[in-house]
Amino acid sequence: MAHIPDGVLSVPVLAGGAVLAVAGIGYGLRRIGEEEIPKVAILACGFFAVSLVAIPVGPSSVHLLLSGLMGLMIGPAVFPAVFVGLVLQALLFGFGGLTTLGVNTVNIALPGLLCGLLLSPLLRGASPARAGAVGALAGAACVALTGGLVAAALALSASEFVPSARIVLLTYVPLAVGEAFVTGFAVAFLARVRPEAIAGFAPKVAVPAPVPPAVAVAGERP
Amino acid sequence: MPAALGAAPVRVSFGIAALDPRTRLLGAFAGVLAVALLSSLWVLAAAALGTFALALAAGPGTAALMRRLVHLEGFMLVLLALLPFTVPGTPLFGAPPFVASAEGFARAVQILLKVNACGFLVFALLGGLEPVRIGAAALALKAPERLVQLFLLVVRYGGVLRAEAARLQEAMRARAFAPRASLTWSLHTWRTYGHMLGMVLVRALERAERVSEAMRCRGFSGRLPASAERPALGAADLAFALLLAAAILAAFAAEHLA
């Protein structure tokens, strides 16, 4: 849905995307503790697996982005997780491209990161219904932001892309609807079944990782 | 099952398979970047043909290549279909306000050639490379270790979680769930998928705990032992780098002469 291939965007847009993506990935990697790597990786696999399911919305069907829920559950790790997912899709299936890895990562991960930072405090101690509403808001907002970023990447690359960028933005409307409902129900479910899963990522990161000094790598402070 | 991280890669004496994964990774980036900078239609057509030949000769198979070819995202179709009408220039056909211009067609063809040339090149150089070796090559190229660990774990558990989601969907079907899009059924459909998503994530968390414990149990302390491929670059890598550089230089020269 948001996989811009190689050969479409202008070089300044590609470079800008790459710089932002490197910053986001660096920030994310510094914020995840070494003991959290399996959690982030396997949760990311879960998100990628469910995003392959076609969800009916009105006459069409959509594939969920799930970046809003990722932001709520893994917070800053959303940048590295999305980047890894996009690398695999580009290599294994030919979705997206290599030069556009940066732009595509920013388009999907930045809204997720913002949702995580702004909305996850609202989930602490929330009832399932309220958690569901926050989840729905995160889902819809992230999809809308991603649509806006994709359209902006196209429009900034060439002025003749502007009409297409407007249409691209419209195609994100059904996705935002489906994403809001499915994410909302998923967050309400998690609030009932596993409240600690959506209790926020900040306190966990604050715990220092138990790395024995003998094997700690220089510059790898959690 | 992916090959063990430390296992020596099978060396084939000729072709793309003889190249070090690092060479293939860097070569793909350099080639794709070069194509992104080209603009002449003739040079791009030559690039697309050349990379197509390379993909046929060196990629992991014609059937896989054909599957790649038919894949075009929806917004790319919109973009290509609209370009002839949104670029002003010499009118070709149509009546105002919908006039297709020759310049617009040229732009659409240019983008189509670029996208395909890049796709062929990535397919030829990286399509047959196991993700585990890509991770090792990235580590050898000084990618952050945690990012590579994340990549390798996603490679390992991607299929496991896809199977988990498939099992849940099968259970839903066994209980007579069918996705429906009508007004009365949409909410039920979305709620069911929401619960499935939540359940996949709960199981992912539980699996992550087990995996994490198993990794610690085997002495994982934040580093993967021997995860970078160490062999020195060979003559084939040098030859490939020179050929690629020559092709890129020739393309830029042709573009300036044209």
Side-chain angles (χ1 to χ4, degrees), chain B:
Chain B
M1 206 181 117
L5 278 181
V10 183
R11 284 266 160 181
V12 185
S13 55
F14 61 94
I16 296 268
L19 298 176
D20 189 284
R22 284 171 285 179
T23 314
R24 291 162 72 168
L25 211 54
L26 290 180
F29 264 106
V32 165
L33 209 56
V35 171
L37 291 171
L38 293 173
S39 61
S40 151
L41 283 188
W42 296 113
V43 177
L44 279 171
L49 266 181
T51 49
F52 180 65
L54 191 67
L56 269 186
T62 320
L65 181 60
M66 290 305 133
R67 274 201 301 281
R68 271 301 160 93
L69 268 179
V70 292
H71 178 80
L72 253 191
E73 298 239 349
F75 76 87
M76 283 303 297
L77 292 179
V78 170
L79 192 70
L80 292 175
L82 277 188
L83 269 178
F85 298 97
T86 54
V87 177
T90 329
L92 278 185
F93 64 83
F98 298 107
V99 184
S101 70
E103 284 81 353
F105 264 113
R107 190 87 170 90
V109 170
Q110 183 197 45
I111 287 181
L112 203 58
L113 287 173
K114 275 189 181 193
V115 169
N116 278 302
C118 292
F120 292 144
L121 191 65
V122 172
F123 180 80
L125 288 179
L126 302 178
L129 203 53
E130 289 150 34
V132 175
R133 295 187 66 198
I134 293 176
L139 204 56
L141 290 170
K142 306 277 179 255
E145 188 157 6
R146 269 184 206 173
L147 191 61
V148 175
Q149 289 169 1
L150 205 56
F151 177 81
L152 292 173
L153 280 168
V154 169
V155 168
R156 169 65 182 85
Y157 287 100
V160 174
L161 268 291
R162 272 199 300 281
E164 192 90 77
R167 265 198 299 282
L168 280 173
Q169 277 184 282
E170 204 168 320
M172 285 153 70
R173 270 197 299 279
R175 287 156 181 76
F177 169 76
R180 267 173 274 189
S182 72
L183 266 185
T184 43
W185 282 99
S186 278
L187 209 59
H188 174 72
T189 301
W190 291 332
R191 184 187 297 121
T192 309
Y193 277 126
H195 290 174
M196 185 197 86
L197 168 59
M199 202 60 218
V200 168
L201 296 175
V202 166
R203 292 189 181 181
L205 282 170
E206 285 172 356
R207 187 179 293 274
E209 275 159 32
R210 294 198 298 275
V211 169
S212 191
E213 277 165 21
M215 283 166 71
R216 298 213 157 270
C217 190
R218 286 156 182 79
F220 179 74
S221 57
R223 302 215 64 177
L224 293 172
S227 43
E229 279 189 40
R230 300 288 178 211
L233 301 176
D237 297 298
L238 184 65
F240 175 78
L242 288 178
L243 267 177
L244 185 70
I248 291 175
L249 282 179
F252 281 120
E255 176 130 324
H256 275 283
L257 293 179

